[in-house]
Short mmCIF file of all heavy atoms in Angstrom, two decimals:
data_model
loop_
_atom_site.label_atom_id
_atom_site.label_comp_id
_atom_site.label_asym_id
_atom_site.label_seq_id
_atom_site.Cartn_x
_atom_site.Cartn_y
_atom_site.Cartn_z
N GLU V 71 14.89 -9.07 -11.54
CA GLU V 71 14.02 -7.96 -11.64
C GLU V 71 13.12 -7.77 -10.38
O GLU V 71 12.37 -6.80 -10.31
CB GLU V 71 13.16 -7.97 -12.89
CG GLU V 71 12.43 -9.24 -13.12
CD GLU V 71 13.15 -10.17 -14.08
OE1 GLU V 71 14.38 -10.36 -13.97
OE2 GLU V 71 12.46 -10.82 -14.92
N ASP V 72 13.07 -8.77 -9.47
CA ASP V 72 12.36 -8.67 -8.25
C ASP V 72 13.15 -7.79 -7.24
O ASP V 72 12.64 -7.55 -6.12
CB ASP V 72 12.00 -10.03 -7.72
CG ASP V 72 11.04 -10.80 -8.52
OD1 ASP V 72 10.15 -10.18 -9.08
OD2 ASP V 72 11.20 -12.03 -8.68
N THR V 73 14.37 -7.53 -7.47
CA THR V 73 15.24 -6.76 -6.62
C THR V 73 14.60 -5.41 -6.35
O THR V 73 14.34 -4.61 -7.21
CB THR V 73 16.67 -6.64 -7.18
OG1 THR V 73 17.28 -7.92 -7.22
CG2 THR V 73 17.54 -5.72 -6.22
N ALA V 74 14.39 -5.06 -5.07
CA ALA V 74 13.76 -3.82 -4.68
C ALA V 74 13.68 -3.75 -3.14
O ALA V 74 13.94 -4.70 -2.47
CB ALA V 74 12.35 -3.75 -5.28
N VAL V 75 13.29 -2.59 -2.68
CA VAL V 75 12.93 -2.43 -1.23
C VAL V 75 11.44 -2.75 -1.21
O VAL V 75 10.65 -2.19 -1.95
CB VAL V 75 13.15 -0.99 -0.75
CG1 VAL V 75 12.64 -0.91 0.69
CG2 VAL V 75 14.69 -0.72 -0.79
N TYR V 76 11.06 -3.69 -0.34
CA TYR V 76 9.68 -4.13 -0.21
C TYR V 76 9.09 -3.48 1.04
O TYR V 76 9.66 -3.48 2.13
CB TYR V 76 9.60 -5.63 -0.12
CG TYR V 76 9.72 -6.29 -1.48
CD1 TYR V 76 11.00 -6.28 -2.10
CD2 TYR V 76 8.72 -6.93 -2.03
CE1 TYR V 76 11.13 -6.90 -3.37
CE2 TYR V 76 8.87 -7.55 -3.31
CZ TYR V 76 10.09 -7.56 -3.94
OH TYR V 76 10.20 -8.15 -5.15
N TYR V 77 7.85 -2.92 0.86
CA TYR V 77 7.20 -2.22 1.92
C TYR V 77 5.87 -2.88 2.26
O TYR V 77 5.16 -3.28 1.32
CB TYR V 77 6.91 -0.74 1.56
CG TYR V 77 8.12 0.11 1.31
CD1 TYR V 77 8.70 0.16 0.04
CD2 TYR V 77 8.76 0.79 2.29
CE1 TYR V 77 9.80 0.96 -0.20
CE2 TYR V 77 9.79 1.61 2.04
CZ TYR V 77 10.35 1.69 0.82
OH TYR V 77 11.41 2.48 0.57
N CYS V 78 5.49 -3.02 3.48
CA CYS V 78 4.14 -3.36 3.78
C CYS V 78 3.39 -2.10 4.10
O CYS V 78 3.91 -1.10 4.59
CB CYS V 78 4.01 -4.37 4.89
SG CYS V 78 4.45 -3.86 6.50
N ALA V 79 2.05 -2.10 3.88
CA ALA V 79 1.23 -0.94 4.09
C ALA V 79 -0.12 -1.38 4.58
O ALA V 79 -0.63 -2.47 4.29
CB ALA V 79 1.06 -0.18 2.77
N ALA V 80 -0.80 -0.43 5.28
CA ALA V 80 -2.13 -0.78 5.87
C ALA V 80 -3.06 0.39 5.71
O ALA V 80 -2.67 1.56 5.79
CB ALA V 80 -1.99 -1.09 7.34
N SER V 81 -4.33 0.07 5.54
CA SER V 81 -5.43 1.04 5.59
C SER V 81 -6.45 0.50 6.49
O SER V 81 -6.81 -0.71 6.50
CB SER V 81 -5.96 1.29 4.20
OG SER V 81 -7.10 2.14 4.25
N LEU V 82 -7.07 1.34 7.30
CA LEU V 82 -8.18 1.03 8.17
C LEU V 82 -9.54 1.13 7.48
O LEU V 82 -10.56 0.80 8.13
CB LEU V 82 -8.13 1.82 9.46
CG LEU V 82 -6.92 1.65 10.32
CD1 LEU V 82 -6.93 2.56 11.58
CD2 LEU V 82 -6.76 0.21 10.78
N ARG V 83 -9.53 1.55 6.19
CA ARG V 83 -10.74 1.56 5.41
C ARG V 83 -10.45 0.77 4.11
O ARG V 83 -9.34 0.88 3.61
CB ARG V 83 -11.19 2.99 5.13
CG ARG V 83 -11.60 3.74 6.37
CD ARG V 83 -12.00 5.12 6.02
NE ARG V 83 -10.90 6.00 5.68
CZ ARG V 83 -11.02 7.25 5.29
NH1 ARG V 83 -12.18 7.88 5.38
NH2 ARG V 83 -9.88 7.95 4.99
N LEU V 84 -11.48 0.20 3.55
CA LEU V 84 -11.27 -0.59 2.39
C LEU V 84 -11.18 0.37 1.16
O LEU V 84 -12.18 0.97 0.77
CB LEU V 84 -12.46 -1.58 2.21
CG LEU V 84 -12.41 -2.49 0.99
CD1 LEU V 84 -11.18 -3.36 1.02
CD2 LEU V 84 -13.67 -3.32 0.93
N PRO V 85 -10.06 0.39 0.46
CA PRO V 85 -9.92 1.18 -0.69
C PRO V 85 -10.67 0.62 -1.88
O PRO V 85 -10.88 -0.60 -1.94
CB PRO V 85 -8.37 1.23 -1.00
CG PRO V 85 -7.78 0.69 0.24
CD PRO V 85 -8.80 -0.26 0.83
N ARG V 86 -11.12 1.49 -2.73
CA ARG V 86 -11.73 1.04 -3.97
C ARG V 86 -10.70 0.28 -4.88
O ARG V 86 -11.04 -0.63 -5.58
CB ARG V 86 -12.40 2.13 -4.77
CG ARG V 86 -13.61 2.74 -4.00
CD ARG V 86 -14.30 3.77 -4.81
NE ARG V 86 -15.46 4.29 -4.12
CZ ARG V 86 -16.21 5.28 -4.60
NH1 ARG V 86 -15.95 5.83 -5.79
NH2 ARG V 86 -17.30 5.70 -3.91
N SER V 87 -9.45 0.76 -4.79
CA SER V 87 -8.41 0.15 -5.57
C SER V 87 -7.29 -0.14 -4.52
O SER V 87 -6.70 0.82 -4.00
CB SER V 87 -7.88 1.01 -6.70
OG SER V 87 -6.79 0.41 -7.33
N VAL V 88 -6.89 -1.39 -4.33
CA VAL V 88 -5.86 -1.76 -3.36
C VAL V 88 -4.51 -1.64 -3.96
O VAL V 88 -3.52 -1.78 -3.24
CB VAL V 88 -6.09 -3.25 -2.85
CG1 VAL V 88 -7.45 -3.28 -2.04
CG2 VAL V 88 -6.04 -4.18 -4.01
N SER V 89 -4.36 -1.39 -5.25
CA SER V 89 -3.09 -1.29 -5.96
C SER V 89 -2.50 0.08 -5.93
O SER V 89 -1.33 0.25 -6.37
CB SER V 89 -3.19 -1.76 -7.33
OG SER V 89 -3.99 -0.92 -8.14
N LEU V 90 -3.16 1.11 -5.38
CA LEU V 90 -2.60 2.49 -5.44
C LEU V 90 -1.97 2.82 -4.08
O LEU V 90 -2.61 2.74 -3.04
CB LEU V 90 -3.71 3.45 -5.67
CG LEU V 90 -4.46 3.30 -7.04
CD1 LEU V 90 -5.64 4.28 -7.15
CD2 LEU V 90 -3.53 3.45 -8.20
N PRO V 91 -0.69 3.14 -4.09
CA PRO V 91 0.01 3.45 -2.84
C PRO V 91 -0.65 4.55 -2.00
O PRO V 91 -0.69 4.53 -0.83
CB PRO V 91 1.45 3.87 -3.26
CG PRO V 91 1.59 3.25 -4.61
CD PRO V 91 0.21 3.21 -5.33
N GLY V 92 -1.28 5.53 -2.72
CA GLY V 92 -1.88 6.65 -2.00
C GLY V 92 -3.09 6.26 -1.19
O GLY V 92 -3.59 7.05 -0.43
N LYS V 93 -3.64 5.07 -1.35
CA LYS V 93 -4.80 4.60 -0.63
C LYS V 93 -4.36 4.06 0.76
O LYS V 93 -5.27 3.78 1.61
CB LYS V 93 -5.53 3.53 -1.37
CG LYS V 93 -6.07 4.06 -2.74
CD LYS V 93 -7.11 5.18 -2.53
CE LYS V 93 -7.65 5.61 -3.88
NZ LYS V 93 -8.66 6.67 -3.72
N TYR V 94 -3.12 3.96 1.06
CA TYR V 94 -2.69 3.41 2.33
C TYR V 94 -2.14 4.50 3.20
O TYR V 94 -1.37 5.35 2.81
CB TYR V 94 -1.59 2.35 2.08
CG TYR V 94 -2.12 1.15 1.34
CD1 TYR V 94 -2.28 1.06 -0.09
CD2 TYR V 94 -2.46 -0.01 2.13
CE1 TYR V 94 -2.75 0.00 -0.63
CE2 TYR V 94 -2.97 -1.13 1.48
CZ TYR V 94 -3.14 -1.11 0.09
OH TYR V 94 -3.56 -2.26 -0.58
N ASP V 95 -2.51 4.45 4.46
CA ASP V 95 -2.21 5.47 5.42
C ASP V 95 -0.96 5.16 6.26
O ASP V 95 -0.34 6.12 6.79
CB ASP V 95 -3.34 5.79 6.38
CG ASP V 95 -4.65 6.18 5.65
OD1 ASP V 95 -4.48 7.12 4.82
OD2 ASP V 95 -5.67 5.66 5.92
N TYR V 96 -0.62 3.95 6.44
CA TYR V 96 0.47 3.47 7.26
C TYR V 96 1.42 2.60 6.44
O TYR V 96 1.01 1.77 5.67
CB TYR V 96 -0.06 2.70 8.46
CG TYR V 96 -1.09 3.49 9.25
CD1 TYR V 96 -2.50 3.26 9.01
CD2 TYR V 96 -0.73 4.44 10.13
CE1 TYR V 96 -3.40 3.96 9.70
CE2 TYR V 96 -1.68 5.18 10.86
CZ TYR V 96 -3.02 4.93 10.63
OH TYR V 96 -3.98 5.69 11.29
N TRP V 97 2.69 2.80 6.75
CA TRP V 97 3.81 2.06 6.00
C TRP V 97 4.80 1.61 6.89
O TRP V 97 5.19 2.22 7.93
CB TRP V 97 4.43 2.99 4.95
CG TRP V 97 3.49 3.40 3.88
CD1 TRP V 97 2.55 4.42 3.87
CD2 TRP V 97 3.38 2.77 2.58
NE1 TRP V 97 1.85 4.39 2.70
CE2 TRP V 97 2.33 3.46 1.89
CE3 TRP V 97 4.05 1.76 1.96
CZ2 TRP V 97 2.00 3.10 0.57
CZ3 TRP V 97 3.73 1.35 0.67
CH2 TRP V 97 2.72 2.04 -0.05
N GLY V 98 5.39 0.42 6.61
CA GLY V 98 6.55 -0.05 7.29
C GLY V 98 7.81 0.63 6.85
O GLY V 98 7.85 1.42 6.00
#
């Protein structure tokens, strides 16, 4: 069940919730 495409993501500001994809501006 771990099978998936894995992405890294970055934000230059600290999100209030780090678990939300929409809080990240940059993606691999």
Side-chain angles (χ1 to χ4, degrees):
E71 52 262 43
D72 295 319
T73 295
V75 177
Y76 283 70
Y77 300 89
C78 70
S81 174
L82 297 179
R83 295 180 292 183
L84 180 62
R86 293 183 179 180
S87 176
V88 297
S89 65
L90 299 177
K93 298 299 183 180
Y94 294 82
D95 300 313
Y96 306 97
W97 293 83

